[in-house]
Amino acid sequence: MNPTVLTILISSLGLGTTLTFIGSHWLLVWMGLEINTLAIIPLMIRQHHPRAVEATTKYFITQATASALLLFASITNAWTSGEWSLTEMINPTSATLALTALALKIGLAPLHFWLPEVLQGLDLTTGLILSTWQKLAPFAILLQLYPLFNSNLLLSLGILSTIIGGWGGLNQTQLRKILAYSSIANLGWMITILHYAPNLTLLNLILYIIMTLTTFLLFKIFNSTKINSIASSSSKSPLLSIITLLTLLSLGGLPPLSGFMPKWLILQELTKQSLFIPATIMAIMALLSLFFYLRLCYATTLTMSPNPTNMSSCWRTKPNHPTLVLLTSATLSILLLPLTPMIFSLIP
């Protein structure tokens, strides 16, 4: 892609998210979301591959539907209350419509149907942007509007997302689909606790972005998109395969790694709110998610690739991968659990 065009598209992605962050008027927020969507579409379709074209079409239709629903919710609220301010949504029907639109935008169950298929059709770089940066703008709106949403609806969406994210990834062999179901499960944890402790939602979102960034960078270095192709990673770079093992276990929430911290704090907050059944269901579903991460760990570090491979593989990794970014994100993905007492002191 032309560097000038690429610079404009990346700048538009940043502009759209910034508009949504700073906007207090519904039309400005909606405009930011639209700029965000339109900026990523050329990045998705740049491969000129039928899968990429199909994924881009599905993404565009889904996001256009969500944007129309969000605009309808804001117009309905302005019609009934006379207010265009983001936080003045007093109409419960408008609030429910806005929550539905945002759930469709980020891929919450039961509106998750587009996310695995779209992520499967993209390359790893664009998939990384879709899984991390594109979640920021909708969550900026959710974190401002959470007192207006029905807590039971948020809880139901969150629990359903953790169930579908746990079950959906069990029989997958494609790494991008596994990461898509991992995203759905992590979003479920964030939405479940949103009404009771929005600070924990923000903490979980930050850690999820860091761990997903590390995972995508590692898969990009190994040039792996399937489980059977990642089996040759230990021969390419033993150190990176160990970092991959620890990052995947952290993404699954295994102690004593960083990914355990938000799950621990969220389960503790749910128990404080006397929500014992949702906490139990989510803990069990976290074990399901951990199972398919363990499959990836087994393929990465405990299996040897067969000698006659059907794919091109290099003996050592290329020296031009982003070492500093990977080192920083991998360190944060693995070693943040000792900071939990400080997190406790920051959360009211």
Side-chain angles (χ1 to χ4, degrees), residues 214-339:
T214 310
T215 310
F216 269 99
L217 286 177
L218 289 165
F219 289 164
K220 187 170 173 58
I221 289 171
F222 292 140
N223 197 20
S224 299
T225 55
K226 295 191 286 289
I227 288 183
N228 60 359
S229 65
I230 205 175
S232 61
S233 61
S234 57
S235 62
K236 292 180 185 178
S237 175
L239 178 60
L240 283 182
S241 65
I242 293 171
I243 294 175
T244 306
L245 166 72
L246 293 173
T247 306
L248 289 170
L249 290 178
S250 180
L251 203 52
L254 192 73
L257 303 170
S258 301
F260 176 64
M261 178 169 53
K263 289 183 170 57
W264 174 21
L265 296 177
I266 287 171
L267 288 176
Q268 187 181 43
E269 184 63 32
L270 287 175
T271 357
K272 282 182 185 174
Q273 302 290 339
S274 300
L275 296 168
F276 302 111
I277 295 177
T280 308
I281 293 172
M282 292 175 69
I284 293 171
M285 291 304 119
L287 292 177
L288 279 182
S289 298
L290 186 60
F291 175 76
F292 62 74
Y293 290 124
L294 284 172
R295 280 180 63 214
L296 285 180
C297 295
Y298 178 77
T300 307
T301 55
L302 300 175
T303 58
M304 292 292 290
S305 180
N307 213 6
T309 55
N310 295 325
M311 60 200 76
S312 58
S313 60
C314 55
W315 174 243
R316 292 295 178 199
T317 52
K318 296 178 182 177
N320 59 351
H321 52 261
T323 313
L324 183 60
V325 177
L326 180 60
L327 177 65
T328 309
S329 61
T331 306
L332 293 174
S333 300
I334 296 167
L335 300 175
L336 278 185
L337 189 64
L339 296 180

Side-chain angles (χ1 to χ4, degrees), residues 69-318:
L69 196 56
L70 193 64
L71 188 61
F72 179 68
S74 58
I75 290 173
T76 308
N77 182 66
W79 190 8
T80 54
S81 66
E83 285 285 346
W84 279 99
S85 176
L86 187 65
T87 53
E88 296 292 331
M89 184 169 272
I90 57 175
N91 187 359
T93 307
S94 300
T96 306
L97 283 174
L99 177 59
T100 307
L102 293 169
L104 182 58
K105 268 199 169 294
I106 59 178
L108 267 179
L111 305 170
H112 67 286
F113 50 85
W114 61 273
L115 186 56
E117 301 300 325
V118 168
L119 206 56
Q120 176 60 27
L122 304 178
D123 64 330
L124 289 169
T125 307
T126 318
L128 170 62
I129 297 173
L130 183 65
S131 300
T132 55
W133 186 263
Q134 293 297 90
K135 301 283 192 288
L136 292 177
F139 264 99
I141 304 173
L142 285 169
L143 286 167
Q144 292 180 72
L145 296 183
Y146 75 91
L148 310 174
F149 296 142
N150 186 343
S151 60
N152 292 327
L153 181 58
L154 285 172
L155 200 61
S156 304
L157 287 174
I159 292 173
L160 189 60
S161 296
T162 54
I163 292 172
I164 289 178
W167 278 109
L170 287 180
N171 62 341
Q172 300 297 331
T173 57
Q174 301 286 335
L175 297 180
R176 286 165 292 185
K177 279 196 174 181
I178 289 175
L179 289 173
Y181 283 107
S182 161
S183 173
I184 293 167
N186 277 284
L187 290 172
W189 283 84
M190 299 175 213
I191 293 297
T192 303
I193 204 64
L194 177 62
H195 188 77
Y196 305 101
N199 291 333
L200 288 182
T201 298
L202 187 58
L203 171 69
N204 199 346
L205 178 64
I206 292 169
L207 278 175
Y208 162 74
I209 288 175
I210 292 171
M211 292 185 292
T212 306
L213 170 66
T214 310
T215 310
F216 269 99
L217 286 177
L218 289 165
F219 289 164
K220 187 170 173 58
I221 289 171
F222 292 140
N223 197 20
S224 299
T225 55
K226 295 191 286 289
I227 288 183
N228 60 359
S229 65
I230 205 175
S232 61
S233 61
S234 57
S235 62
K236 292 180 185 178
S237 175
L239 178 60
L240 283 182
S241 65
I242 293 171
I243 294 175
T244 306
L245 166 72
L246 293 173
T247 306
L248 289 170
L249 290 178
S250 180
L251 203 52
L254 192 73
L257 303 170
S258 301
F260 176 64
M261 178 169 53
K263 289 183 170 57
W264 174 21
L265 296 177
I266 287 171
L267 288 176
Q268 187 181 43
E269 184 63 32
L270 287 175
T271 357
K272 282 182 185 174
Q273 302 290 339
S274 300
L275 296 168
F276 302 111
I277 295 177
T280 308
I281 293 172
M282 292 175 69
I284 293 171
M285 291 304 119
L287 292 177
L288 279 182
S289 298
L290 186 60
F291 175 76
F292 62 74
Y293 290 124
L294 284 172
R295 280 180 63 214
L296 285 180
C297 295
Y298 178 77
T300 307
T301 55
L302 300 175
T303 58
M304 292 292 290
S305 180
N307 213 6
T309 55
N310 295 325
M311 60 200 76
S312 58
S313 60
C314 55
W315 174 243
R316 292 295 178 199
T317 52
K318 296 178 182 177

